[in-house]
Amino acid sequence: MAIEYHFDASPVLDDRAALDYFAGALGFERRYTDHRAGSDELQATVSMVPAEEDPEMAAMLGGVKAILSITFRQAKNLGDVGDAHVVRDLLTAITRFLEEFPDANGVFAYNFETILVQKLGDGGIELDQRLREPGGDNRHGTLADLLAKYPVLEIDQVLL
């Protein structure tokens, strides 16, 4: 099974512009299609999903008519430190996106199961407390700057 992260956001950019944004933020060297880009460590696939296909997420994002949906697939053989750096880079790109597009709401999750970052409604960017766990994604201290910058709390884990 691939290591996947998923970002659903209100459509403040169209799918191609969003791919351009994340390709630049994550240093992707290759563009495979208009909706897929990547590097040796990570690939992203972007789509615009009609609200009818995921009404619960559309409601979470503020009643949007479409959802900007991005799946990030991480290479498996990066090693422990390589993995930690990819996770840091992903979290940095997601939080930067939510800062640069203040009208955007978004939910960033690991394998559609664990919400790691969210910005919903009038609330600001929030990080889930699991990111602080010693054996988890911050095991090499790579998330220290993000954990100091944003509120870290127990995010309600809804079924995605």
Side-chain angles (χ1 to χ4, degrees), residues 9-80:
S10 44
V12 294
L13 296 175
D14 67 30
D15 47 1
R16 290 179 183 176
L19 185 62
D20 288 342
Y21 179 89
F22 283 102
L26 294 165
F28 290 166
E29 304 105 15
R30 292 183 289 286
R31 192 67 163 257
Y32 304 107
T33 68
D34 286 344
H35 295 95
R36 192 168 150 247
S39 65
D40 290 341
E41 296 83 20
L42 189 65
Q43 291 183 7
T45 304
V46 179
S47 62
M48 200 64 72
V49 177
E52 300 80 36
E53 290 185 25
D54 193 348
E56 293 85 10
M57 181 56 71
M60 277 181 70
L61 296 174
V64 296
K65 296 194 183 313
I67 301 163
L68 174 63
S69 182
I70 307 171
T71 299
F72 298 94
R73 287 178 190 83
Q74 178 184 328
K76 290 183 180 182
N77 300 317
L78 298 179
D80 191 46

Side-chain angles (χ1 to χ4, degrees), residues 80-110:
D80 191 46
V81 174
D83 173 68
H85 284 99
V86 167
V87 171
R88 179 209 51 213
D89 294 348
L90 271 171
L91 290 168
T92 300
I94 296 297
T95 55
R96 185 176 300 142
F97 177 89
L98 293 169
E99 284 180 351
E100 290 181 12
F101 299 95
D103 292 337
N105 285 317
V107 176
F108 179 70
Y110 169 71

